[in-house]
Amino acid sequence: MRQWWTRLLPTTTASFVDFELAPSRLSAAALACLYSCVAVLLFFSWLHTSLPLPIVFCCLDMLMHEWLTLHVCRHSLQGRLVVSMSGDVRWQQEKWHIDRVKIRNRYFLLLHIRRPGQVRWLLVCHDACDERSYRALSLICYSAVNFSSSE
C-alpha cells in the first residue's frame, strides 16, 4: 500500500521529451570560475618566481583563447531538443541517437550522441530548460541506461 505522502510527490512519466534548450547560466559560471582560478594560480606562480612573466602572459593568452572557444561552444548547445524513449534524438534539425549517458545527476546530464560520421557530447543543465522537461529527460536517460546495461 502506498503511503499518503507519496501521492503528493510530483511524478513524471514520459515516452518522449520535446523542449527548447537554452544556454545554461550554471555552465557559464562554472567555466568562468574554473578559468579564473587557473589565471590566479598562474599569477601566483609568477609572484613566487617559479615562472617568468612572458611565459605567464603566453599561458594567460592561451587560456583566454580556450575560454572564448568553450564559451562559443556552450552557446551552440541550444535549440529544439526532441528525445524519444528509443534513444532517438532530433536536435538542431538533425537526427541523432543517444550512444550512452555519461553523467546523470540532479544538476546536469551529459549525453554522448552520434549520427553517421559525427559524434558529439551534449550537456543539458537543469537551468537550460524548465523543470518538467528536465525531469522527463532524466527519466528517459535513466531508462536508457538501465536498458543498455541489461544487454
Side-chain angles (χ1 to χ4, degrees), residues 86-130:
S86 64
D88 294 327
V89 177
R90 185 131 177 100
W91 177 54
Q92 295 179 342
Q93 289 90 30
E94 297 174 350
K95 290 184 180 179
W96 300 80
H97 187 73
I98 297 178
D99 196 23
R100 68 176 183 254
V101 179
K102 185 70 173 173
I103 300 173
R104 188 187 67 84
N105 60 31
R106 65 182 290 201
Y107 300 109
F108 64 91
L109 297 165
L110 186 60
L111 308 173
H112 187 256
I113 58 175
R114 66 175 161 76
R115 65 181 211 159
Q118 198 173 7
V119 175
R120 278 197 80 167
W121 289 99
L122 180 61
L123 177 69
V124 180
C125 293
H126 74 281
D127 65 337
C129 58
D130 60 300

